[in-house]
């Protein structure tokens, strides 16, 4: 390639000599021929240059230097680099090969510095020398709200773990009679609601080495989150527990069949109001004197109701806007929890809900349980049960969808 360039320079000198001797037309012809020769050589230089760049880059650039192992030649910026190298060679009056080798060496050293540098991600490359810092705040886990106690359920303490509720189911009705007519004798009917505590437990082994190092605030936060978890599991049973020998019967399964209804099909703003109103009607229609009325629903249901207000007019706007502003419906507060199934809405009088509890949540620690593994056991125990004294004190709207 260098021989061709030298030959072309000699030809150019000869052309200039001929310009002084021969006529202009012949000189123009020779210049055109020379230009074509230069264009051909330039095209060959560009092709050879790019091939040489690819060869040099491939030689000096290992896949480890390129994230993901992608080939440098596939980068569109590579072609711009090739043109720049060629221009630099001619501007510096240097051979293209010298400039290419210089740039390849510089690139190799650059990539080498990246590969061999002290960094934070690898312990062996200096990461182990860095001091890790921790924020004072401990981010807690996401856990459901506990709503049954918050809504006003009464708590009854027991030492024996068993408690009986005496209930009058019906009273004899007075009636009108005529003079001299014999009065029919009647008597009330009564029943007994038995409650016996069910045990909720959690056992967590903790390394004794960890206990020696951990700050007291860290231990307290973990203990607090275990308590919150216990309350959440308890609340789940209080809402929809099946009521087995070892698990409380939840509000859902205390509700009388007459007070359970599905939502109106194809929900609209009007039907939503109707379904909510009907729940209050069912409770008050059963002669329940509401003392601590309240609603329980999933958060998505609440925000679905609030969102309805943006798509309605007239009185409906005020109704749904009031839900957003007061977090209540017809003056009764709304309690939300993900323990509540998203397809249900409850309304009722929480004054009729009784929680039987043998004691406060018991927290105990023992070093003997996991003695061989040098661990301390943290045990949490909660003994509770739940009773709804009147099965029509609550009503539920089920099969909710599209609210």
């Amino acid at each position: 390639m260098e021989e061709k360039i030298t030959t072309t320079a000699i030809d150019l000198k000869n052309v200039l000599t001929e310009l002084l001797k021969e006529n202009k037309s012949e000189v123009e012809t020779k210049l055109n021929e020379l230009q074509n020769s230069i264009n051909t050589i330039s095209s060959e230089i560009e092709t050879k240059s790019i091939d040489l760049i690819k060869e040099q880059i491939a030689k000096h650039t290992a896949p480890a230097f390129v994230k993901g192992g992608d080939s440098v030649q596939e980068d569109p910026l590579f072609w711009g680099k090739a043109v720049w190298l060629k221009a630099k060679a001619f501007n510096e009056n240097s051979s293209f090969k010298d400039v290419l080798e210089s740039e390849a060496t510089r690139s190799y050293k650059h990539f080498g510095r990246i590969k061999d540098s002290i960094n934070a991600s690898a312990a062996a490359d200096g990461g182990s020398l860095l001091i890790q810092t921790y924020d004072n705040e401990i981010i807690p886990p996401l856990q459901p709200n506990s709503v049954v106690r918050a809504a006003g359920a009464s708590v009854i303490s027991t030492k024996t773990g068993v408690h009986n509720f005496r209930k009058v189911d019906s009273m004899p009705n007075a009636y009108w009679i005529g003079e001299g007519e014999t009065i029919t004798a009647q008597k009330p009917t009564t029943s007994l609601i038995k409650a016996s505590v069910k045990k909720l437990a959690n056992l967590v082994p903790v390394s004794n080495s960890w206990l020696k190092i951990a700050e007291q605030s860290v231990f307290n936060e973990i203990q607090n989150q275990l308590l919150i978890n216990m309350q959440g599991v308890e609340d789940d049973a209080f809402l929809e527990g099946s009521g087995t020998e070892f698990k409380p019967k939840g509000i859902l399964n205390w509700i009388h069949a007459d007070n359970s209804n599905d939502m109106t099909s194809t929900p609209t703003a009007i039907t939503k109001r109707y379904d909510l109103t009907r729940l209050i009607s069912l409770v008050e229609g059963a002669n329940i004197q509401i003392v601590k009325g309240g609603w329980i629903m999933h958060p998505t249901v609440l925000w679905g109701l609030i969102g309805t207000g943006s798509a309605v007019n007239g009185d409906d706007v005020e109704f749904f806007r009031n839900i957003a502003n007061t977090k209540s419906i017809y003056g009764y507060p709304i309690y939300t929890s993900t323990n509540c199934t998203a397809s249900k809405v409850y309304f009722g009088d929480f004054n009729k809900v009784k929680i039987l509890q043998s004691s406060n949540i018991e927290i105990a620690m023992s070093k003997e349980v996991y003695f061989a593994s040098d661990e301390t056991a943290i045990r949490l125990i909660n003994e509770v049960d739940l009773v709804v004294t009147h099965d029509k004190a609550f009503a539920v709207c089920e099969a909710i969808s599209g609210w």
Side-chain angles (χ1 to χ4, degrees):
M1 184 64 65
E2 291 179 354
E3 292 176 358
K4 287 187 176 182
I5 295 174
T6 303
T7 301
T8 302
I10 294 172
D11 289 343
L12 179 59
K13 179 179 179 182
N14 293 334
V15 169
L16 294 173
T17 302
E18 289 293 329
L19 181 62
L20 299 175
K21 298 179 179 180
E22 301 178 12
N23 60 52
K24 185 177 180 179
S25 60
E26 291 180 358
V27 172
E28 289 179 349
T29 300
K30 288 184 176 294
L31 285 174
N32 289 335
E33 291 176 355
L34 181 59
Q35 182 64 53
N36 291 334
S37 177
I38 290 173
N39 290 341
T40 301
I41 294 173
S42 177
S43 177
E44 292 178 1
I45 288 174
E46 183 172 355
T47 301
K48 294 289 186 179
S49 299
I50 291 174
D51 290 340
L52 185 55
I53 290 172
K54 288 184 177 181
E55 178 184 345
Q56 292 296 325
I57 293 294
K59 182 186 298 183
H60 293 291
T61 305
F65 300 152
V66 183
K67 186 176 182 181
D70 298 330
S71 174
V72 173
Q73 290 92 322
E74 294 176 2
D75 188 345
L77 294 178
F78 169 82
W79 305 111
K81 182 72 171 178
V83 174
W84 177 82
L85 286 171
K86 185 174 72 172
K88 183 176 180 181
F90 284 105
N91 287 337
E92 295 179 356
N93 294 320
S94 303
S95 70
F96 182 77
K97 183 178 180 182
D98 291 341
V99 172
L100 178 60
E101 288 179 348
S102 175
E103 288 299 316
T105 300
R106 186 192 65 80
S107 298
Y108 176 76
K109 289 180 178 179
H110 171 69
F111 284 120
R113 283 198 301 272
I114 293 176
K115 178 177 183 294
D116 299 328
S117 63
I118 296 175
N119 62 78
S121 59
D125 293 334
S128 60
L129 302 178
L130 300 177
I131 299 175
Q132 297 184 358
T133 60
Y134 295 89
D135 193 88
N136 291 330
E137 178 186 1
I138 298 175
I139 301 173
L142 300 177
Q143 304 194 66
N145 292 330
S146 297
V147 294
V148 174
R149 289 178 183 266
S154 303
V155 178
I156 299 172
S157 298
T158 176
K159 293 183 178 180
T160 63
V162 178
H163 197 82
N164 295 319
F165 296 89
R166 295 167 291 182
K167 181 181 178 183
V168 178
D169 296 307
S170 65
M171 288 296 294
N173 290 322
Y175 65 99
W176 304 97
I177 62 172
E179 186 177 354
E181 185 176 346
T182 302
I183 303 172
T184 302
Q186 303 177 74
K187 61 181 181 179
T189 58
T190 60
S191 61
L192 202 63
I193 301 175
K194 295 183 178 181
S196 59
V197 295
K198 279 72 175 173
K199 184 175 294 187
L200 179 63
N202 198 355
L203 184 67
V204 182
V206 181
S207 164
N208 288 328
S209 297
W210 185 89
L211 287 173
K212 293 175 184 177
I213 299 172
E215 299 174 5
Q216 185 62 40
S217 60
V218 175
F219 178 78
N220 292 342
E221 179 62 23
I222 291 177
Q223 181 176 273
N224 182 54
Q225 292 303 321
L226 289 172
L227 288 170
I228 293 174
N229 173 262
M230 292 279 283
Q231 293 166 358
V233 175
E234 173 196 81
D235 200 60
D236 178 62
F238 284 174
L239 277 174
E240 299 178 0
S242 56
T244 64
E245 180 183 357
F246 305 111
K247 186 176 182 179
K249 181 178 178 180
I251 291 173
L252 175 66
N253 293 301
W254 281 98
I255 296 175
H256 193 283
D258 292 344
N259 280 23
S260 177
N261 292 281
D262 290 347
M263 76 163 197
T264 305
S265 59
T266 313
T268 65
I270 294 175
T271 61
K272 291 177 186 179
R273 288 188 67 174
Y274 168 75
D275 288 337
L276 293 169
T277 304
R278 179 171 56 177
L279 296 181
I280 300 177
S281 175
L282 288 170
V283 173
E284 290 192 343
N287 294 319
I288 300 296
Q289 304 299 315
I290 300 176
V291 178
K292 294 180 181 177
W295 305 83
I296 293 179
M297 61 186 69
H298 193 279
T300 57
V301 175
L302 170 61
W303 286 103
L305 291 172
I306 291 173
T308 304
S310 62
V312 295
N313 299 308
D315 293 341
D316 290 329
V317 173
E318 189 62 29
F319 175 79
F320 291 105
R321 182 180 297 165
N322 187 66
I323 295 177
N325 293 337
T326 67
K327 205 176 180 182
S328 66
I329 300 175
Y330 295 119
Y332 296 113
I334 300 171
Y335 300 90
T336 60
S337 174
T338 53
N339 279 331
C340 177
T341 306
S343 60
K344 294 179 175 62
V345 169
Y346 298 88
F347 173 78
D349 182 12
F350 288 90
N351 187 57
K352 309 300 187 294
V353 178
K354 310 297 181 184
I355 297 174
L356 183 65
Q357 186 158 353
S358 62
S359 63
N360 293 327
I361 296 178
E362 175 189 332
I363 302 176
M365 299 177 65
S366 172
K367 294 187 177 182
E368 284 73 31
V369 178
Y370 298 105
F371 180 80
S373 57
D374 191 29
E375 292 177 318
T376 296
I378 302 176
R379 187 191 66 191
L380 295 89
I381 297 290
N382 191 23
E383 295 180 318
V384 293
D385 199 8
L386 180 135
V387 167
V388 177
T389 58
H390 292 83
D391 56 8
K392 290 189 176 183
F394 280 83
V396 59
C397 181
E398 300 192 82
I400 291 176
S401 177
W403 275 30

